[in-house]
Amino acid sequence: MSFRQRLKETRRRISYSRVFVDALAFSAFALMRLLTSTLRVRLYIHPSVDEELHRKPLLFAFWHGRQFLLVPHFTSWNIALMSDLSWAGDIQTRILQRFGYTVVRGSSSHGGMRALLAIKKAIEAGHPAAFAVDGPHGPAFQAKPGILFLAEKLGLPLAPVATSAKPAWILESTWCRYLLPKPFARCVAVIGKPIPPRALAAQSTIAEL
């Protein structure tokens, strides 16, 4: 093995080590908390969301790359989330767990059915669940069928979620054009009126025609 190959392998072992991943996740968590403390955030939540949550768990749908504002502001909602099985997913999982979320590992491409079953168990235990509906690899703003399947299977309403910030960085190098608010930005997070499962089933049928 050449020196360059040994160096590459050493870097890989360090990068994938638990100590490194934990340290990176903690640093990202601390930076998120620091940045969030400077933001001016307005939350708009449809009144029926609270009513629905008192009766049964809800499913929340958001676009990948627009979750930064959601993570720090809904920690008390006992939400279950899905994170993929990649190295970045390991870091994301540790960050979300530090914020107090229940995290299930899997994606549409790896371990998808197992993850959906685990999310289903979490919902049946009383957790609401949130999904980046165009993740984990896009295309951006094109919803995958998993959350509709789950909503119909469990008979649960689906609440649309949107966020924005100004000024913000748009990370063009990411497929989802990740939105990262700049310090002291004005931000908004909106949770719309939950859509009942029968309406979701009708929309899904129309989309297949």
Side-chain angles (χ1 to χ4, degrees), residues 6-24 87 90-91 94:
R6 286 199 300 271
L7 185 61
K8 184 178 179 180
E9 182 62 27
T10 300
R11 281 203 307 264
R12 188 181 185 280
R13 282 202 303 268
I14 293 171
S15 298
Y16 281 78
S17 69
R18 184 176 181 85
V19 171
F20 182 86
V21 169
D22 284 343
L24 195 56
W87 175 79
D90 288 343
I91 296 169
R94 286 164 171 76

Side-chain angles (χ1 to χ4, degrees), residues 188-201:
V188 62
V190 180
I191 301 180
K193 183 178 181 180
I195 305 167
R198 61 181 179 278
L200 291 170

Side-chain angles (χ1 to χ4, degrees), residues 1-87:
M1 184 183 292
S2 68
F3 174 76
R4 181 175 293 181
Q5 288 173 321
R6 286 199 300 271
L7 185 61
K8 184 178 179 180
E9 182 62 27
T10 300
R11 281 203 307 264
R12 188 181 185 280
R13 282 202 303 268
I14 293 171
S15 298
Y16 281 78
S17 69
R18 184 176 181 85
V19 171
F20 182 86
V21 169
D22 284 343
L24 195 56
F26 177 78
S27 299
F29 167 78
L31 287 172
M32 285 181 70
R33 293 294 298 265
L34 180 62
L35 176 55
T36 300
S37 70
T38 73
L39 303 178
R40 291 166 288 178
V41 182
R42 290 188 178 182
L43 302 177
Y44 296 95
I45 301 173
H46 194 277
S48 61
V49 169
D50 191 52
E51 296 170 15
E52 292 282 0
L53 281 172
H54 277 87
R55 291 190 298 168
K56 61 177 75 173
L58 274 179
L59 302 182
F60 297 97
F62 59 92
W63 296 124
H64 207 287
R66 297 298 181 269
Q67 65 265 47
F68 182 90
L69 290 171
L70 301 175
V71 172
H73 291 97
F74 296 94
T75 56
S76 64
W77 286 31
N78 205 24
I79 293 174
L81 298 166
M82 187 182 294
S83 180
D84 68 43
L85 296 170
S86 67
W87 175 79

